Amino acid sequence: MPEYRTALGASGLEKITLLGKDLADDVMGNVGFGELSFWLATQRRPTKGETRVFEAVLAALADHGYTPTAIVTRLTYLSAPDSVQGALAAGLLGGGSRFLGVTEDTGRFLHDVLAGLEDLPVDDAGWDAVALQTVRDQRAAKKFVPGLGHHVHKNGDPRTPRLMQIAREEGLFGPHLSLFAAIGRVHPEVLGRTLPLNGAGVCGAALADLGLPLELLRGFALLARTAGLIGQLAEELRHPVANDIFLSVDLNNRSVAPDPYEPGGPRG
Amino acid sequence: MPEYRTALGASGLEKITLLGKDLADDVMGNVGFGELSFWLATQRRPTKGETRVFEAVLAALADHGYTPTAIVTRLTYLSAPDSVQGALAAGLLGGGSRFLGVTEDTGRFLHDVLAGLEDLPVDDAGWDAVALQTVRDQRAAKKFVPGLGHHVHKNGDPRTPRLMQIAREEGLFGPHLSLFAAIGRVHPEVLGRTLPLNGAGVCGAALADLGLPLELLRGFALLARTAGLIGQLAEELRHPVANDIFLSVDLNNRSVAPDPYEPGGPRG
Amino acid sequence: MPEYRTALGASGLEKITLLGKDLADDVMGNVGFGELSFWLATQRRPTKGETRVFEAVLAALADHGYTPTAIVTRLTYLSAPDSVQGALAAGLLGGGSRFLGVTEDTGRFLHDVLAGLEDLPVDDAGWDAVALQTVRDQRAAKKFVPGLGHHVHKNGDPRTPRLMQIAREEGLFGPHLSLFAAIGRVHPEVLGRTLPLNGAGVCGAALADLGLPLELLRGFALLARTAGLIGQLAEELRHPVANDIFLSVDLNNRSVAPDPYEPGGPRG
Amino acid sequence: MPEYRTALGASGLEKITLLGKDLADDVMGNVGFGELSFWLATQRRPTKGETRVFEAVLAALADHGYTPTAIVTRLTYLSAPDSVQGALAAGLLGGGSRFLGVTEDTGRFLHDVLAGLEDLPVDDAGWDAVALQTVRDQRAAKKFVPGLGHHVHKNGDPRTPRLMQIAREEGLFGPHLSLFAAIGRVHPEVLGRTLPLNGAGVCGAALADLGLPLELLRGFALLARTAGLIGQLAEELRHPVANDIFLSVDLNNRSVAPDPYEPGGPRG
């Protein structure tokens, strides 16, 4: 019979522990929710500075208005109001490669570049050299640089300088943010035009500098978004729009003849 | 063409607003994640005391070890490691009536009792009288009192007195908590035995006293659990148990003959 | 160590069984998908007639164009194209009380009425008498009769007579369909206007007459819808509309001031 | 205002169409569920032979006993019995790269190889030559050949010859199956040992030969699995095991001390 180890929650007759602490006496009332989320993910209590950077990232990612995930949560609640958990889960399922994935992709990308360096640069000039090579390599491989570019904030994403400032204030401006900032400085030389460092990307860099597990960077974006989706549901309850969205699609539906699928590949 | 109003996130070329504030300047670095989650759900910034009670509730509900939701998230990640969002969503889908619903049920139940009172009691004796009638009514209707009883913490759930204490410290011990506490005092007189006020129930009472939308009380339990499930995934990544869980079921599978379903109802 | 019994799939070194049959030799190539789905749910192989009625129900429920579930699946795929399973799961999560629940509600409702009868009627006059009492009881209780009424097919839902015809052809027009048909005949006498028996309702009646588990009637609607949602995704891949849907919402978003939530209940 | 075209379901006052047909008159009672599912995905009505191969694939993939997906659906239903849609969705979310992905991976892999050929081989010797090169290329690239190998059916997966036989009987043994069969013949020469062609892989080859959209091959596995998961829920309702599974994990939980996460990457 296998044993299943865990350092997370455990219950006894009189006492509940969480992360080795007494839940009631040591955690409740003493530990904020951002701090606790960080602690659960790393099994290490973050410092005040780490918590501040982490919570700034969560704020940056919590809600962006009528994204597909927000629309999905509202429509699912319209259709199945008996299941709040279903509406939230449906919204989170949109948290994939296109809309929430940039955070994770950027964190991983920066990490991989850093892992290939023998020594970390010691000044901006050093970071610029690494960044220049990085952007050139991506261009040669005909790949994008994750975190670069934004379809709305073409002159700069206001979250990016703000998060960098907060990280600096807390002494947590580490190598991932340093490389990301350098990419922002040098990429015009290679690409021939200036693109903004976007907010999702800088969040990935900051989370990586906090030492959070790279495999779960998307998870933190999803945690932030869960709070945002609850906000969407709360607003939907008081000022519903989901039925109008549904009708605006259904009433503009144009029924067309079937268009038989031609398989793209070779057939015998 | 309908308009879709929202007071949540909005983006312009240079600026991002959230809840009417400048996201970068006013929210990031200044607003904690628990505070922001409350704000998103109510569109009202909570006080420090409200935030503390709210975060204590989230801590109480974040993780309870190997619950079905935690096992589900780990197994889904084992089966589909390409989709962190799927693993989290699958776990949240267990947040229904049986395992996470007590918080919502208790909040609604207390709210309905309070809504039927002409005046709120002014002292413990008054609350005890209301509670006595409430427990008697439930018993007469052969219904349980939500939030009463726990299969492990038979001598008392340590979260309950702690959350009440925090609410008192912050001046937020309102009518829902008052009624819940009174139920704890008087129910043995009706039921003939002493049951603990459980942690999920006291959380529902506290959230209702904070004025959070009753329709979404389950949503806050799910928010807390999202942080817990990320913790479960992080632990699974380093000390995997999901494959052992899967094998312990599959290897103890006993193949039996089909047992044809006999419909329970009348047939023509 | 518990044993986990199952009569469903089981694998040995050389052989795979399903429902006690050899999967390769007896099931593959010999059992249609509708037939197999029925068999899996009841552990009893359906007759040809039962399969025909069951598949007619699945056809009736498979797709209704741009429903919220279809829109949700398309938007989720737009947002997370890396996860087909997430897009399908998100769509199914809309299969709750409002849009897919009528099938289950009607089946259960008819079943409950039938369970209260000492003897089943033997002719239409007998069924009409039961139906009249049933509609009167619902009206007195200020409740709707599930399966009655449709927002588009005001003159009659074409699926209803067709499914009844198929069930008659196969000798499977049982008590649930008999009662449902009688409700269609008598309700104007009580309600003062004529409402159509809707397709979702007649499907619930037919599934109940087939003896399928009432707790899972919604499940069969979801099975049918899974096929429909794959069709939606296939169409989206070739003629995408999800991005236009998203933009039509996002571009008509009107940013408004926060509207602080006033809790509905009494406060201390 | 955009228009949203669709050839799937459409409703008018008197008539419902599906795929350009009258749903009630032409589809219900006349079209089986497997046939309809194929039709929905391709907007082309399959032949009887295509339907038979397609339904054989669905049968092969419908249920494999206590897989993670089946356990997840049972546990989610235990935890949230109010939401059948949540239990099914949670199970489907396990349909990712590891457990259900082989079907899609194999179909795509074979397709890519075929797309690189100038002419298709005309006999087994020709296919063997292509297959030999294919396996050598994969080996040189240190990659697996999708669909090759099985952890239980080491002497051969019984589904593989059976599906090939059915495809031959129906004249639908096309280039994907031909290449897959040839890989089965020649791989020992390259790999030095004999591995079985697994059932998930042969299903992917057969679906690709049917001309179904490669992007959705995983979708058909999920459709099959939806039927299987309903079977799992039906069995759970009558012979519950989910609570025993939960307890077998929870009771063998070993609470350990937190193990702080050391970030893998370089730190500043």
Side-chain angles (χ1 to χ4, degrees):
Chain A
M1 170 66 90
E3 271 187 348
Y4 305 111
R5 55 175 286 168
T6 183
L8 301 170
S11 282
L13 177 63
E14 313 265 331
K15 192 172 165 179
I16 305 175
T17 58
L18 185 66
L19 295 159
K21 300 286 175 186
D22 186 294
L23 171 64
D25 290 349
D26 299 334
V27 183
M28 290 172 66
N30 300 327
V31 180
F33 185 51
E35 185 182 2
L36 180 64
S37 300
F38 188 116
W39 196 346
L40 284 162
T42 59
Q43 303 199 0
R44 176 177 72 74
R45 187 168 192 172
T47 64
K48 272 192 194 305
E50 288 172 324
T51 299
R52 183 164 173 250
V53 173
F54 182 61
E55 293 192 310
V57 168
L58 296 179
L61 300 175
D63 185 78
H64 300 155
Y66 286 112
T67 54
T69 59
I71 301 170
V72 159
T73 284
R74 289 181 184 244
L75 285 171
T76 303
Y77 189 73
L78 172 73
S79 189
D82 44 321
S83 171
V84 168
Q85 71 269 29
L88 293 176
L92 293 180
L93 289 171
S97 54
R98 200 167 305 171
F99 274 76
L100 283 190
V102 176
T103 297
E104 184 162 319
D105 294 343
T106 306
R108 285 176 180 273
F109 172 76
L110 298 170
H111 179 85
D112 289 347
V113 173
L114 293 172
L117 299 178
E118 283 193 24
D119 299 295
L120 294 184
V122 294
D123 57 17
D124 276 4
W127 283 113
D128 283 1
V130 173
L132 203 56
Q133 191 58 45
T134 300
V135 180
R136 283 188 178 133
D137 290 349
Q138 286 297 101
R139 190 175 206 188
K142 292 176 198 265
K143 289 184 181 164
F144 291 107
V145 177
L148 201 56
H150 197 285
H151 67 293
V152 173
H153 307 300
K154 295 186 194 300
N155 302 337
D157 186 321
R159 295 171 294 179
T160 303
R162 176 64 173 144
L163 189 60
M164 289 183 172
Q165 174 199 2
I166 295 167
R168 273 199 195 90
E169 287 170 6
E170 304 299 341
L172 291 161
F173 197 92
H176 300 85
L177 281 168
S178 297
L179 175 55
F180 194 61
I183 288 173
R185 290 190 298 268
V186 306
H187 75 272
E189 188 179 330
V190 184
L191 304 183
R193 60 189 178 132
T194 301
L195 295 169
L197 294 173
N198 64 46
V202 76
C203 287
L207 292 173
D209 269 344
L210 288 172
L212 291 162
L214 291 171
E215 301 88 340
L216 297 178
L217 292 197
R218 185 183 298 187
F220 301 108
L222 293 164
L223 173 61
R225 189 51 53 95
T226 304
L229 293 175
I230 292 172
Q232 293 279 341
L233 280 181
E235 193 173 71
E236 176 71 20
L237 279 165
R238 289 194 290 147
H239 303 290
V241 302
N243 203 50
D244 281 348
I245 293 174
F246 160 49
L247 290 178
S248 85
V249 177
D250 196 35
L251 299 178
N252 291 290
N253 132 31
R254 184 162 63 87
S255 187
V256 297
D259 171 18
Y261 178 70
E262 289 298 323
R267 296 298 299 269
Chain B
M1 171 67 89
E3 271 187 348
Y4 306 111
R5 54 175 289 169
T6 182
L8 300 171
S11 283
L13 177 63
E14 313 265 333
K15 192 172 164 180
I16 304 175
T17 58
L18 185 66
L19 295 159
K21 300 285 175 188
D22 187 292
L23 171 63
D25 290 348
D26 299 336
V27 183
M28 289 171 66
N30 301 327
V31 180
F33 185 52
E35 185 181 3
L36 180 64
S37 300
F38 189 115
W39 197 347
L40 284 162
T42 60
Q43 302 198 359
R44 176 177 73 76
R45 186 168 192 171
T47 65
K48 273 192 195 303
E50 288 172 324
T51 300
R52 184 165 172 248
V53 173
F54 182 61
E55 293 193 310
V57 168
L58 295 179
L61 301 175
D63 186 77
H64 299 155
Y66 286 112
T67 54
T69 59
I71 301 170
V72 159
T73 284
R74 289 181 184 244
L75 285 172
T76 302
Y77 189 73
L78 172 72
S79 189
D82 44 322
S83 171
V84 167
Q85 71 268 30
L88 293 176
L92 293 180
L93 288 171
S97 54
R98 201 166 306 170
F99 273 76
L100 283 190
V102 176
T103 297
E104 185 162 320
D105 294 343
T106 306
R108 285 176 181 273
F109 173 76
L110 298 170
H111 179 85
D112 289 347
V113 173
L114 294 171
L117 299 179
E118 283 192 25
D119 299 297
L120 294 185
V122 295
D123 57 16
D124 276 4
W127 282 113
D128 284 1
V130 173
L132 204 56
Q133 191 57 45
T134 301
V135 180
R136 281 186 179 136
D137 290 350
Q138 286 297 101
R139 189 176 207 187
K142 293 177 197 266
K143 289 184 182 164
F144 291 107
V145 177
L148 201 55
H150 198 286
H151 67 293
V152 173
H153 307 299
K154 296 185 193 303
N155 301 339
D157 186 322
R159 295 171 295 180
T160 304
R162 176 64 173 145
L163 189 60
M164 289 183 171
Q165 175 201 358
I166 294 166
R168 273 200 194 88
E169 287 170 6
E170 304 298 341
L172 290 161
F173 196 93
H176 299 86
L177 281 168
S178 297
L179 175 55
F180 195 60
I183 288 172
R185 291 191 296 269
V186 306
H187 75 271
E189 188 177 331
V190 184
L191 305 182
R193 60 190 178 129
T194 301
L195 295 169
L197 293 173
N198 63 46
V202 78
C203 287
L207 292 173
D209 269 343
L210 288 171
L212 291 162
L214 291 171
E215 300 89 338
L216 297 178
L217 292 197
R218 185 183 299 187
F220 300 108
L222 293 164
L223 173 61
R225 189 51 55 96
T226 304
L229 293 175
I230 292 172
Q232 294 279 341
L233 280 181
E235 193 173 71
E236 176 72 19
L237 278 165
R238 289 194 289 148
H239 303 289
V241 302
N243 203 50
D244 281 348
I245 292 174
F246 159 49
L247 290 178
S248 86
V249 177
D250 196 35
L251 298 178
N252 290 290
N253 133 32
R254 185 163 62 89
S255 188
V256 298
D259 171 17
Y261 177 70
E262 289 298 323
R267 297 299 299 269
Chain C
M1 171 66 90
E3 270 186 348
Y4 306 111
R5 53 175 288 169
T6 182
L8 300 171
S11 283
L13 178 62
E14 313 264 332
K15 193 171 163 178
I16 305 175
T17 58
L18 185 66
L19 295 158
K21 300 285 175 187
D22 186 292
L23 172 64
D25 291 349
D26 299 335
V27 182
M28 288 171 67
N30 300 327
V31 180
F33 185 52
E35 185 181 2
L36 180 64
S37 300
F38 189 115
W39 197 346
L40 284 162
T42 60
Q43 303 199 0
R44 175 178 73 74
R45 187 168 191 171
T47 64
K48 272 191 194 305
E50 288 172 324
T51 300
R52 185 163 172 250
V53 173
F54 182 61
E55 292 191 311
V57 168
L58 296 179
L61 300 175
D63 185 77
H64 300 155
Y66 286 112
T67 53
T69 59
I71 301 170
V72 159
T73 284
R74 289 181 184 246
L75 285 171
T76 303
Y77 189 73
L78 173 72
S79 190
D82 45 321
S83 171
V84 168
Q85 70 269 27
L88 292 176
L92 293 180
L93 288 171
S97 54
R98 200 167 306 170
F99 273 76
L100 284 189
V102 177
T103 297
E104 184 162 320
D105 293 343
T106 306
R108 285 175 180 273
F109 173 74
L110 298 171
H111 180 85
D112 289 347
V113 173
L114 293 172
L117 299 180
E118 284 193 24
D119 300 296
L120 294 184
V122 295
D123 57 17
D124 276 5
W127 283 112
D128 283 1
V130 173
L132 204 56
Q133 192 58 46
T134 301
V135 180
R136 281 187 180 135
D137 290 350
Q138 285 298 102
R139 185 169 212 195
K142 292 178 199 271
K143 288 184 181 165
F144 291 107
V145 177
L148 201 56
H150 197 285
H151 67 294
V152 173
H153 307 300
K154 295 187 192 302
N155 303 338
D157 187 320
R159 295 171 294 179
T160 304
R162 177 63 174 146
L163 189 60
M164 288 183 172
Q165 175 199 359
I166 294 166
R168 274 200 193 89
E169 286 170 6
E170 304 298 341
L172 290 162
F173 197 92
H176 300 84
L177 281 169
S178 297
L179 175 56
F180 194 60
I183 288 172
R185 290 191 298 269
V186 307
H187 75 271
E189 189 178 329
V190 184
L191 305 182
R193 60 188 179 132
T194 302
L195 296 170
L197 295 173
N198 63 45
V202 76
C203 287
L207 292 173
D209 269 344
L210 288 172
L212 291 162
L214 291 170
E215 299 89 339
L216 296 178
L217 292 196
R218 186 183 297 189
F220 300 109
L222 293 163
L223 173 62
R225 190 49 55 94
T226 305
L229 293 175
I230 292 172
Q232 294 278 341
L233 281 181
E235 193 172 72
E236 176 72 19
L237 279 165
R238 289 194 290 148
H239 303 289
V241 302
N243 203 50
D244 280 349
I245 293 174
F246 159 49
L247 291 177
S248 86
V249 177
D250 197 36
L251 298 179
N252 290 290
N253 132 32
R254 185 162 62 89
S255 188
V256 298
D259 171 18
Y261 178 70
E262 289 297 325
R267 297 297 299 266
Chain D
M1 170 66 90
E3 271 186 348
Y4 306 110
R5 53 174 290 170
T6 183
L8 301 171
S11 282
L13 178 62
E14 312 264 332
K15 193 171 162 179
I16 305 175
T17 58
L18 186 66
L19 295 159
K21 300 285 175 186
D22 186 293
L23 172 64
D25 291 349
D26 300 335
V27 182
M28 289 171 66
N30 301 326
V31 180
F33 186 51
E35 186 181 2
L36 181 64
S37 300
F38 189 116
W39 197 346
L40 284 162
T42 59
Q43 303 199 1
R44 175 177 74 74
R45 187 168 190 171
T47 64
K48 271 191 195 304
E50 288 173 322
T51 300
R52 185 164 172 249
V53 173
F54 183 62
E55 293 191 310
V57 168
L58 296 179
L61 300 175
D63 185 77
H64 300 155
Y66 286 112
T67 53
T69 60
I71 301 169
V72 159
T73 284
R74 289 182 184 243
L75 285 171
T76 303
Y77 189 74
L78 172 72
S79 189
D82 46 321
S83 172
V84 168
Q85 70 269 28
L88 292 177
L92 293 181
L93 289 171
S97 55
R98 199 167 306 170
F99 273 77
L100 284 190
V102 176
T103 297
E104 184 162 321
D105 293 343
T106 306
R108 284 176 181 274
F109 172 75
L110 298 171
H111 180 85
D112 289 346
V113 173
L114 293 172
L117 299 180
E118 283 193 23
D119 299 297
L120 294 184
V122 294
D123 57 17
D124 276 5
W127 283 113
D128 284 2
V130 173
L132 203 56
Q133 191 58 45
T134 301
V135 180
R136 281 188 180 136
D137 290 350
Q138 286 297 104
R139 187 171 211 194
K142 292 177 198 268
K143 289 183 181 166
F144 291 108
V145 177
L148 201 56
H150 197 284
H151 67 293
V152 173
H153 308 299
K154 295 185 193 300
N155 303 337
D157 186 321
R159 295 171 295 179
T160 304
R162 176 64 173 144
L163 189 60
M164 288 184 172
Q165 175 199 0
I166 293 167
R168 274 200 194 90
E169 286 170 6
E170 304 298 340
L172 291 161
F173 196 92
H176 299 84
L177 281 168
S178 297
L179 174 57
F180 195 60
I183 289 172
R185 289 191 298 269
V186 307
H187 75 273
E189 189 179 329
V190 184
L191 305 183
R193 60 187 179 134
T194 302
L195 296 170
L197 294 173
N198 63 45
V202 77
C203 287
L207 292 173
D209 269 343
L210 288 171
L212 291 162
L214 291 170
E215 300 89 339
L216 297 178
L217 292 196
R218 185 183 297 188
F220 301 108
L222 293 164
L223 173 62
R225 189 51 55 94
T226 304
L229 293 175
I230 292 172
Q232 294 278 341
L233 280 181
E235 192 171 73
E236 176 71 19
L237 278 165
R238 290 195 288 148
H239 303 289
V241 303
N243 203 50
D244 280 348
I245 293 174
F246 159 49
L247 291 177
S248 85
V249 177
D250 197 35
L251 298 179
N252 290 291
N253 132 31
R254 185 162 62 89
S255 188
V256 298
D259 171 17
Y261 177 71
E262 288 299 323
R267 298 298 298 268

